[in-house]
Amino acid sequence: MTFFGKKARLILRSLARRMLFPAIETCWTTLFHVARFVLRPSPIQVTFSGNDRVLVIAPHPDDETLGCGGTIVSHAEAGDLVQVFVVTDGGGSRANGLSRPTMVKLRALEALRAVSLLHPDAQLTLGHLPEGAWDTRALYSLLSAQLHRLRPTIIYAPSRVDFHPEHLKVARCLAQVLAKVETGTDARVRVYELQVPLSVPLVNRRVNIQSGLIRKRAALAEYRTQRESFAWRGRQERYLKALLGSGAATEVFCEMTTSGYVRLMTSTPNSVGHYRSLRPRPFTDGFAWVQGMMVRRRLLAIIEDRPGDH
């Protein structure tokens, strides 16, 4: 390609980012406004007691902030005990061409800074399992220890409504632990969403994170090695506002009992291929909420233990 051809391509890309992408996002946002009147989502607004023991399980460094960073802020500010457990070392990332040892070191430092920015009272434990190369027995032991030590009343976790193999692996292992380990409490599990939306059938809880939004954004900014992979996050935030009719930034969850989570993660068939994630560009954004809608409804019946609806 000639110099002028490369220059023209760069100009076209810049114009697309500045003009075409915002126009497409505006169209999707309008459709989400319409969907609110058709679907009438009504998730319960979460309140914070200051008496809860909260365990946040993140497969990778940054998942905790992406999935429930603002909620972590609200829990900690209310006086709840918050423990963030990051399972893997994040060394599988090849961002910026960094070596695995360098990436592991950087992502650990990023996680430490990010969680401390969410709230200085939030505690962080790094599992240090090598991303992409760990055995479920190791995680089983680590999760069992976390549950025995903290005896959480609320657990934030990934789920099968995802496409990332490591997110799914962590969620399945957590279900195995919850099926066998007595937490000593009637703990509730709140599944958070990442690039695959939970969508209307599954969302039953919401948290207004406007007061903690500055902290969340500051925490995300600490994940410098992963910044390029966060292109979808701002759009997701704006679509949720439209869908829920909220003027405030919001995080959404599917809350269930521990037994409901076990059913969710152990039921068959596997539904991974039914979902679409938010992509770096906005062209197919709306389909991430629509694709797999019937699967989500079946999963809700499984969570709620309605056998005739499975």
Side-chain angles (χ1 to χ4, degrees), residues 59-257:
H60 307 98
D62 73 27
D63 288 333
E64 80 295 327
T65 305
L66 287 167
C68 54
T71 302
I72 289 172
V73 174
S74 295
H75 274 297
E77 288 188 340
D80 293 332
L81 176 62
V82 179
Q83 174 71 56
V84 177
F85 175 54
V86 176
V87 174
T88 70
D89 59 14
S93 172
R94 290 295 176 263
N96 304 315
L98 298 173
S99 67
R100 185 180 185 103
T102 300
M103 183 62 72
V104 168
K105 181 179 179 181
L106 286 175
R107 295 197 76 178
L109 292 172
E110 288 172 348
L112 287 166
R113 290 194 294 262
V115 172
S116 68
L117 283 174
L118 289 175
H119 201 280
D121 291 338
Q123 303 170 21
L124 173 65
T125 298
L126 297 173
H128 295 297
L129 297 184
E131 182 179 357
W134 53 274
D135 190 282
T136 54
R137 290 171 295 183
L139 180 56
Y140 189 100
S141 177
L142 291 171
L143 286 174
S144 297
Q146 289 286 326
L147 293 172
H148 279 303
R149 184 180 63 81
L150 185 62
R151 295 164 63 87
T153 56
I154 302 173
I155 301 169
Y156 289 91
S159 75
R160 67 187 291 175
V161 186
D162 210 313
F163 68 95
H164 196 298
E166 210 144 41
H167 296 180
L168 297 168
K169 189 176 177 182
V170 170
R172 292 190 190 106
C173 189
L174 174 61
Q176 292 172 6
V177 176
L178 291 175
K180 296 180 180 179
V181 175
E182 178 59 53
T183 63
T185 65
D186 294 325
R188 291 161 287 160
V189 179
R190 288 180 186 153
V191 166
Y192 54 76
E193 62 178 23
L194 293 168
Q195 277 182 267
V196 177
L198 291 171
S199 202
V200 173
L202 290 173
V203 170
N204 59 17
R205 296 293 186 277
R206 63 187 288 181
V207 176
N208 181 330
I209 64 165
Q210 195 65 39
S211 63
L213 189 57
I214 292 176
R215 286 180 176 268
K216 177 174 179 173
R217 288 176 176 171
L220 279 176
E222 289 298 329
Y223 286 108
R224 293 180 176 87
T225 63
Q226 306 303 303
R227 189 170 296 170
E228 294 300 315
S229 66
F230 295 161
W232 53 273
R233 187 199 59 82
R235 304 199 311 271
Q236 181 190 50
E237 181 180 295
R238 291 185 282 276
Y239 296 149
L240 278 174
K241 284 183 180 180
L243 183 61
L244 298 176
S246 171
T250 304
E251 288 173 347
V252 294
F253 306 94
C254 182
E255 181 176 297
M256 63 199 75
T257 62

Side-chain angles (χ1 to χ4, degrees), residues 17 54 95 101 115 129 132-133 154 164 244 264 274 281 298 309:
R17 285 193 295 268
V54 179
V115 172
L129 297 184
I154 302 173
H164 196 298
L244 298 176
L264 171 68
H274 293 281
R281 298 177 181 86
R298 288 198 295 271
D309 296 335

